[in-house]
């Protein structure tokens, strides 16, 4: 939902931050990302870690475009909210202004051999049902979208 043309933007970069980053490191990364966004980079992120959330918020507040992968996804078809769903507040405004694309990762994407291979190479044989595996897979999917 939002500006699908952001997917075709030539200058995209995945935004990932380690959970172990200090607040100072997050601040430095935020400043660098804002500088890149000012020069036209569109960031792609699942905004999972605290650092990613802070930086995505700063990018949104500075009114630069970005692509967000929704951790929880959109309401399911059986949900009473499905037919009437729209993003709320600042996400609605950013979508309406063409600065945001919200994406739900299809379950089939988590089963792609390349994604499984890359996640397994990074974190080992963590069960695929865990949040850790799913979050790492979302970061790999964000990486693919940024290319």
């Amino acid at each position: 939902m939002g500006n699908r043309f952001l997917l075709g933007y030539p200058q995209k970069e995945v935004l990932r931050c380690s959970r172990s980053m200090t607040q100072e490191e997050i601040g430095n990364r935020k400043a660098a990302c804002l500088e890149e966004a000012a020069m036209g980079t569109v960031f792609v992120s699942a905004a999972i870690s605290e650092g990613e959330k802070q930086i995505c918020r700063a990018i949104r507040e500075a009114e630069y475009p970005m692509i967000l992968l929704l951790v929880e996804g959109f309401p399911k078809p059986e949900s009473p909210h499905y037919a009437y769903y729209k993003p709320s507040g600042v996400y609605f405004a950013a979508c309406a202004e063409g600065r945001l694309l919200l994406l739900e990762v299809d379950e089939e994407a988590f089963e792609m051999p390349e994604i499984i291979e890359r996640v397994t190479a990074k974190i080992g044989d963590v069960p695929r049902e865990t949040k850790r595996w799913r979050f790492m897979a979302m970061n790999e999917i964000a990486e693919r979208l940024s290319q």
Side-chain angles (χ1 to χ4, degrees), residues 16-91:
R16 279 195 256 201
C17 296
S18 171
R19 296 177 296 175
S20 62
M21 287 177 77
T22 65
Q23 197 59 45
E24 181 181 355
E25 292 170 325
I26 292 169
N28 292 338
R29 176 83 168 129
K30 184 190 317 180
C33 288
L34 287 170
E35 191 173 302
E36 286 183 50
M39 292 188 295
T41 298
V42 172
F43 284 93
V44 182
S45 183
I48 297 166
S49 73
E50 186 56 36
E52 292 165 2
K53 289 175 185 176
Q54 288 180 31
I55 295 168
C56 284
R57 185 177 312 115
I59 290 169
R60 180 185 41 77
E61 288 173 352
E63 298 186 349
Y64 295 122
M66 68 179 161
I67 299 170
L68 286 180
L69 303 179
L70 299 174
V71 173
E72 299 296 324
F74 293 111
K76 302 300 176 226
E78 59 274 6
S79 165
H81 305 288
Y82 176 75
Y84 304 104
Y85 176 77
K86 67 176 184 176
S88 61
V90 294
Y91 282 174

Side-chain angles (χ1 to χ4, degrees), residues 80-140:
H81 305 288
Y82 176 75
Y84 304 104
Y85 176 77
K86 67 176 184 176
S88 61
V90 294
Y91 282 174
F92 179 82
C95 282
E97 294 167 6
R99 296 183 286 109
L100 180 63
L101 176 61
L102 300 173
L103 296 175
E104 176 178 29
V105 178
D106 190 308
E107 289 301 318
E108 293 172 6
F110 291 107
E111 300 300 322
M112 294 173 65
E114 180 184 338
I115 299 298
I116 293 169
E117 182 180 311
R118 291 179 74 170
V119 172
T120 302
K122 288 185 179 182
I123 62 173
D125 288 330
V126 172
R128 293 198 322 221
E129 300 78 34
T130 64
K131 283 186 176 183
R132 175 80 174 136
W133 194 94
R134 191 169 180 89
F135 291 163
M136 291 297 291
M138 289 185 78
N139 281 332
E140 290 302 322

